[in-house]
Amino acid sequence: MKKILVTGAGGFVGQHLVKFLKKKNYWVKGVDIKTPEFEKTTADSFEILDLRHLDNCIKAAKGIDEIYQMAADMGGIGYITKYHALVFRNNALINLNMLEAARKNGVKKYLYTSSACVYPKHLQNEENVSPLKEEDAYPADSEPGYGWEKLFSELTAKYYMEDYGIPAYIVRFHNIFGPLCAYDGGREKSPAAICRKIALAKKVDEIEVWGDGKQTRSYCYIDDCLDGIYSLIQSDYHNPVNIGQDRLITVDELVDIISGIAGKKITKRYDTTKPQGVRGRNADISLAKKILGWEPKISLEEGLERMYKWIYAQLKKKKTL
Ligand code: NAD
């Protein structure tokens, strides 16, 4: 039986991925610096290891056929705009060491999770942006810290493939969302933060929105993301591929959709002093459609409803509601 390692298996995508791979009957090992926060892991084996250290990476990758490298020091815009040096250093160490561990252990496939944050800022200055194509990443002008590190690690994976023959699969995620994500504490992203604020609001209320609400994004539900990366690792395509959605909406619209799901009448109080990231960002997913025959199936409304219900239930459990 093929043995799979999911790093970052205590995190949002990692936890879902472990479940997804178990359903496909793989033997799965999960590794993280923390245990999964919201439910017990379904991995066959789970180890707490700090992957900034090479010896821990070598231990994690021992006897493994395929690695999905999800571990990263990351968070929403409030987090990644605050900690450039820390995030760059932590993630560069994890990625350099995991690739070296993959080489030393003779791993057969290596999937690296990059990000839309690699794309240049000047292509994302308007609300009504053109969707970002994979080749737009160069000439590079990535998001400081987190984005530049993602580009650096994409290249590291590419060089390891060229020099040592480890097949690399590089996926650029665009705003993946769903249950089991961070929804408070500073690492949460906009859909989860807005769900939390609306869940905590009264029937008729006002919530704080970061920025002026006119900034745009596209959002992809976790189940679609997993189908995408699984198709990619079965393929023979080794350049970066966007996995996301191409339905562009404003943050205002996002708030309105979630208010509708919650059945609440919510007005917005804008705080333009808070970090907002780029003005507009959308994913061009035509490459993934073409080479993988993949496209997202779950609508934004359906995905947000699932996530809202989950966050609402978490807040109830914690007696915050
Ligand atoms: P997450 O923060 O929920 O999961 C990352 C996990 O990595 C966490 O559980 C964390 O504890 C673990 N980790 C951090 N430092 C570690 C270390 N030193 N050793 C071992 N584990 C460590 O994030 P996620 O949303 O699940 O993201 C998964 C991957 O996808 C990350 O590489 C992230 O950068 C990338 N990504 C995610 C999105 C998204 O929208 N979720 C977008 C772009 C890229």
Side-chain angles (χ1 to χ4, degrees):
M1 192 192 285
K2 234 186 233 174
K3 292 196 166 185
I4 314 279
L5 171 65
V6 176
T7 58
F12 162 50
V13 183
Q15 284 180 73
H16 284 281
L17 180 63
V18 168
K19 278 199 240 177
F20 177 94
L21 293 169
K22 279 310 301 166
K23 278 196 196 131
K24 293 202 178 291
N25 286 324
Y26 291 103
W27 185 92
V28 183
K29 180 199 243 183
V31 166
D32 204 298
I33 34 166
K34 59 162 200 207
T35 49
E37 197 178 334
F38 305 110
E39 56 184 42
K40 221 172 151 295
T41 183
T42 53
D44 296 282
S45 136
F46 189 95
E47 276 186 77
I48 301 286
L49 291 171
D50 184 343
L51 299 174
R52 288 172 297 184
H53 304 289
L54 179 60
D55 50 347
N56 286 340
C57 294
I58 291 173
K59 196 172 163 205
K62 201 167 170 31
I64 292 295
D65 297 301
E66 298 179 4
I67 297 178
Y68 291 74
Q69 205 312 79
M70 303 273 152
D73 183 4
M74 72 97 72
I77 197 71
Y79 187 80
I80 62 168
T81 53
K82 197 167 169 192
Y83 303 111
H84 292 160
L86 185 75
V87 164
F88 195 102
R89 180 175 195 279
N90 285 342
N91 291 341
L93 286 171
I94 294 171
N95 287 311
L96 287 170
N97 288 329
M98 274 314 304
L99 268 163
E100 182 59 8
R103 183 181 77 80
K104 283 194 190 292
N105 282 298
V107 165
K108 298 180 190 77
K109 289 186 180 186
Y110 189 92
L111 184 134
Y112 174 59
T113 45
S114 183
S115 162
C117 290
V118 300
Y119 290 109
K121 289 189 287 297
H122 70 267
L123 297 177
Q124 305 175 74
N125 284 336
E126 288 167 21
E127 290 128 36
N128 197 17
V129 283
S130 301
L132 294 157
K133 286 187 187 346
E134 286 76 358
E135 63 265 30
D136 291 336
Y138 296 97
D141 180 20
S142 306
E143 182 79 35
Y146 178 77
W148 275 104
E149 191 286 329
K150 287 288 185 195
L151 207 57
F152 160 89
S153 289
E154 283 187 5
L155 291 172
T156 315
K158 175 177 180 278
Y159 299 147
Y160 265 69
M161 173 158 159
E162 287 165 1
D163 292 6
Y164 304 122
I166 306 169
Y169 301 86
I170 299 161
V171 61
R172 291 182 183 151
F173 287 160
H174 290 245
N175 287 321
I176 312 302
F177 74 97
L180 306 183
C181 65
Y183 61 88
D184 63 7
R187 285 184 190 255
E188 65 275 26
K189 297 184 163 188
S190 56
I194 293 167
C195 283
R196 184 198 69 231
K197 289 177 189 179
I198 293 179
L200 292 172
K202 296 192 273 293
K203 267 268 172 216
V204 179
D205 211 341
E206 183 183 76
I207 63 158
E208 182 194 83
V209 170
W210 288 14
D212 63 3
K214 305 284 177 287
Q215 65 272 36
T216 53
R217 294 290 185 277
S218 60
Y219 301 93
C220 178
Y221 191 66
I222 181 70
D223 293 10
D224 285 326
C225 160
L226 298 176
D227 284 337
I229 58 177
Y230 188 69
S231 305
L232 180 64
I233 206 168
Q234 312 307 320
S235 78
D236 55 5
Y237 192 81
H238 300 290
N239 289 318
V241 180
N242 288 331
I243 291 291
Q245 263 281 15
D246 54 5
R247 175 177 164 196
L248 191 68
I249 64 160
T250 63
V251 169
D252 275 345
E253 287 169 311
L254 184 66
V255 174
D256 293 343
I257 295 171
I258 300 170
S259 309
I261 290 166
K264 298 186 182 182
K265 198 167 164 20
I266 300 292
T267 48
K268 301 140 194 141
R269 184 179 67 255
Y270 300 110
D271 186 345
T272 50
T273 64
K274 292 278 170 41
Q276 300 165 46
V278 292
R279 191 65 186 154
R281 174 180 289 155
N282 196 3
D284 184 315
I285 51 172
S286 48
L287 179 68
K289 283 183 185 169
K290 187 171 146 215
I291 58 164
L292 308 175
W294 169 88
E295 63 182 320
K297 294 192 187 77
I298 296 165
S299 72
L300 181 62
E301 285 75 5
E302 191 182 337
L304 286 173
E305 181 157 5
R306 292 184 200 177
M307 184 165 78
Y308 179 80
K309 282 185 178 156
W310 178 79
I311 292 178
Y312 186 88
Q314 292 302 309
L315 292 168
K316 271 245 175 247
K317 225 197 271 176
K318 279 198 195 164
K319 302 202 187 329
T320 318
L321 264 174

